[in-house]
Amino acid sequence: MKIVRTYATSANLGPGFDAFGICLNLYNEYAFEVSNKYEINEFNEKYKNPENNLIIKSYEKVFNILNKKIIPIKLTELEHNIPTSRGLGSSASCIVSGVMIANNVLGDILSIDDVFQIASDIEGHPDNVAPAIYGDLCASFMDEKVYSVKYHASNDLKLLVMIPNFEVST
């Protein structure tokens, strides 16, 4: 089995609304391997169905974009630290995981920038996927394609995140 780890992000930072995002030291981790049918383990019951699992949907999107036959996988959630619907990029983390897993299964045929383009297309905007892919602080924008510039965030920077005990619309 191989492992993919994707980090939480926070976009909409101050005046950088929908433009700046930062990678946080909070992550989800998944093990995967090629299989003869989909098998989804250790996920919340809601996400054990491939049709409801954003990682699998993103994984399949890569195959469809590249016009390749979908190869089923066994996917196991090892770590789940990014809460959903709390503004910490949980959907971006799932999307990036799916795209990166597909790229690996296909023999790493995509560049990191291709991964960014596809993940941004799936998410609909680049502000959360950019730092999940490139790390640090990223400024992103969309034109006919998406662009991102990575900035080193000081190691002295400390972020405090308040996570409500209820879902919020992000």
Side-chain angles (χ1 to χ4, degrees):
M1 278 197 171
K2 295 183 179 179
I3 294 175
V4 64
R5 175 185 287 178
T6 51
Y7 288 84
T9 59
S10 182
N12 305 331
L13 298 171
F17 181 77
D18 280 349
F20 288 108
I22 194 165
C23 185
L24 305 173
N25 193 17
L26 189 67
Y27 62 87
N28 289 346
E29 193 171 74
Y30 309 97
F32 66 94
E33 64 184 335
V34 171
S35 182
N36 59 353
K37 64 178 180 133
Y38 280 122
E39 185 180 330
I40 301 174
N41 302 306
E42 304 301 324
F43 280 77
N44 175 304
E45 196 62 39
K46 177 180 177 181
Y47 304 113
K48 286 189 175 183
N49 180 336
E51 294 176 11
N52 297 335
N53 188 298
L54 188 54
I55 296 169
I56 297 296
K57 290 167 84 171
S58 301
Y59 172 86
E60 290 179 344
K61 179 82 172 181
V62 174
F63 282 82
N64 292 332
I65 289 170
L66 298 175
N67 201 24
K68 303 277 187 184
K69 183 176 187 261
I70 294 172
I71 301 167
I73 58 171
K74 176 180 177 183
L75 180 66
T76 304
E77 185 174 68
L78 302 176
E79 295 274 344
H80 182 84
N81 299 307
I82 306 171
T84 57
S85 301
R86 304 299 194 281
L88 295 175
S90 62
S91 63
S93 171
C94 289
I95 290 166
V96 170
S97 292
V99 174
M100 292 176 95
I101 292 169
N103 188 37
N104 183 272
V105 168
L106 289 167
D108 294 318
I109 60 175
L110 300 173
S111 70
I112 195 73
D113 291 328
D114 293 333
V115 168
F116 172 60
Q117 294 296 320
I118 292 170
S120 295
D121 180 54
I122 295 169
E123 177 78 352
H125 45 86
D127 53 344
N128 266 321
V129 297
I133 293 168
Y134 299 117
D136 274 320
L137 172 68
C138 294
S140 305
F141 67 96
M142 296 174 16
D143 194 10
E144 291 187 18
K145 61 183 249 179
V146 289
Y147 300 90
S148 186
V149 178
K150 176 180 166 179
Y151 300 96
H152 175 67
S154 170
N155 292 333
D156 294 333
L157 181 64
K158 304 292 183 213
L159 299 174
L160 175 66
V161 178
M162 294 186 293
I163 303 171
N165 62 357
F166 53 88
E167 292 187 2
V168 293
S169 176
T170 58

